[in-house]
Amino acid sequence: MTMLTCSAEGQSDGLLETGSQPTPWRGDQSFNQFNSSAILRQTPVSFESVDNSSLSITLPPASITAKRLKKLAKLKIIPTNDLRNHLLLDERDGTVAIYHYTSVLKQHLQAFQDDGTKASSNQVAGQKVSLPKELIVETLNTLKYVIFPVEPDSQSILRSLVAREKFDPDNCRLDASAWQPAAGDNVRYEYWGARLLRLYDELENPTPRGFLENWLERKSGARYVMLVTLAGVVIAILLGILGLAVGILQVWISWQQWQHPVA
């Protein structure tokens, strides 16, 4: 119902921070309190300046698309059933988890609309319970505008994920007017901002993958410079070997001509 995996108290804090363990549901927490505490607001992030607030971090537009994650950072997009793991980067495995059940998220939004609930509340009329509406809208916006924007390559990746990884087909027909009348780029991401920043940093400074990249420096710019330098050294060695072979051949020909002069 909430798309959040819960457990009894006593789980390791270190494991919880990685998103690898369920969130503990304390005995004194109500259903709504648990939902609100499972994913917390952090420093807001946006993809263009929406106000003059110095508290909002601005990222370049279209900087964290599925196309860039796959081609630049060499990350594999994997599905997750736990909303807490949305946009979670696993550097070791080279994966980024995406919560993809947009049809379920829209059902939660429908509950707010049916009961005339204010956008800032997660307690609807008649004591119904739901996730915070801002969290639902942010999650939908990350899918519609950030990861799978309307551009051919990212949309092609999305269709492939639906066909091969059993992503929710509803992702291919998201209508943002149902939850976001304004342009999606003008949204400030308070729940998912930290993970968006982490993905952006991964794109700017990709984690080395494979033997050669692990041997080279961590920073992408230095790594590419070293790759070019290494390629130049290899080419120089090959040219040197070729030149040595040609020189040996010329010496052998000259020696043969000296041993067997033509009358």
Side-chain angles (χ1 to χ4, degrees), residues 33-47:
Q33 288 172 335
F34 167 74
N35 286 339
S36 298
S37 65
I39 303 173
L40 302 176
R41 284 186 171 92
Q42 302 181 48
T43 302
V45 170
S46 62
F47 285 87

Side-chain angles (χ1 to χ4, degrees), residues 138-257:
E138 275 194 32
T139 306
L140 288 168
N141 276 320
T142 60
L143 295 168
K144 174 68 175 179
Y145 295 108
V146 181
I147 306 299
F148 304 113
V150 183
E151 60 95 6
D153 289 332
S154 292
Q155 286 296 307
S156 175
I157 293 173
L158 174 58
R159 290 191 293 271
S160 176
L161 290 169
V162 170
R164 300 179 183 179
E165 301 292 341
K166 301 187 184 303
F167 263 55
D168 188 346
D170 185 70
N171 281 275
C172 297
R173 49 179 181 270
L174 280 180
D175 180 8
S177 63
W179 74 84
Q180 189 66 44
D185 284 346
N186 289 330
V187 174
R188 293 201 305 176
Y189 298 90
E190 297 183 2
Y191 287 99
W192 303 121
R195 291 188 179 174
L196 290 172
L197 280 173
R198 182 66 195 88
L199 289 173
Y200 180 74
D201 180 66
E202 181 67 17
L203 285 163
E204 292 296 301
N205 304 290
T207 300
R209 308 192 191 284
F211 175 79
L212 180 59
E213 290 191 354
N214 279 314
W215 180 75
L216 298 173
E217 289 188 18
R218 172 67 175 84
K219 296 294 183 180
S220 60
R223 181 160 71 249
Y224 294 140
V225 169
M226 289 193 67
L227 280 172
V228 172
T229 303
L230 182 61
V233 171
V234 171
I235 292 173
I237 292 174
L238 292 175
L239 289 176
I241 293 173
L242 180 61
L244 179 61
V246 171
I248 293 173
L249 179 61
Q250 288 177 336
V251 170
W252 182 82
I253 292 174
S254 298
W255 184 78
Q256 289 294 323
Q257 289 177 340

Side-chain angles (χ1 to χ4, degrees), residues 20-200:
S20 60
Q21 293 292 328
T23 301
W25 189 342
R26 300 196 312 270
D28 60 347
Q29 281 185 313
S30 68
F31 191 78
N32 280 348
Q33 288 172 335
F34 167 74
N35 286 339
S36 298
S37 65
I39 303 173
L40 302 176
R41 284 186 171 92
Q42 302 181 48
T43 302
V45 170
S46 62
F47 285 87
E48 66 180 39
S49 181
V50 295
D51 54 32
N52 295 323
S53 174
S54 60
L55 298 178
S56 179
I57 300 174
T58 304
L59 296 178
S63 58
I64 314 179
T65 63
K67 172 186 175 181
R68 287 172 56 84
L69 291 172
K70 183 176 180 180
K71 293 187 176 181
L72 296 184
K74 297 181 177 63
L75 294 173
K76 179 182 179 181
I77 296 176
I78 60 173
T80 178
N81 300 328
D82 191 337
L83 185 57
R84 294 176 311 120
N85 293 336
H86 183 53
L87 301 176
L88 184 63
L89 171 66
D90 188 325
E91 295 179 352
R92 184 184 63 182
D93 293 339
T95 62
V96 56
I98 299 294
Y99 180 83
H100 57 99
Y101 290 109
T102 55
S103 55
V104 177
L105 292 172
K106 291 194 294 186
Q107 287 296 320
H108 277 262
L109 278 182
Q110 188 63 44
F112 284 98
Q113 295 170 359
D114 291 344
D115 290 286
T117 312
K118 293 182 179 180
S120 62
S121 172
N122 71 315
Q123 291 183 328
V124 299
Q127 299 301 314
K128 291 184 180 180
V129 290
S130 179
L131 295 166
K133 186 172 183 179
E134 298 93 332
L135 172 59
I136 300 172
V137 170
E138 275 194 32
T139 306
L140 288 168
N141 276 320
T142 60
L143 295 168
K144 174 68 175 179
Y145 295 108
V146 181
I147 306 299
F148 304 113
V150 183
E151 60 95 6
D153 289 332
S154 292
Q155 286 296 307
S156 175
I157 293 173
L158 174 58
R159 290 191 293 271
S160 176
L161 290 169
V162 170
R164 300 179 183 179
E165 301 292 341
K166 301 187 184 303
F167 263 55
D168 188 346
D170 185 70
N171 281 275
C172 297
R173 49 179 181 270
L174 280 180
D175 180 8
S177 63
W179 74 84
Q180 189 66 44
D185 284 346
N186 289 330
V187 174
R188 293 201 305 176
Y189 298 90
E190 297 183 2
Y191 287 99
W192 303 121
R195 291 188 179 174
L196 290 172
L197 280 173
R198 182 66 195 88
L199 289 173
Y200 180 74

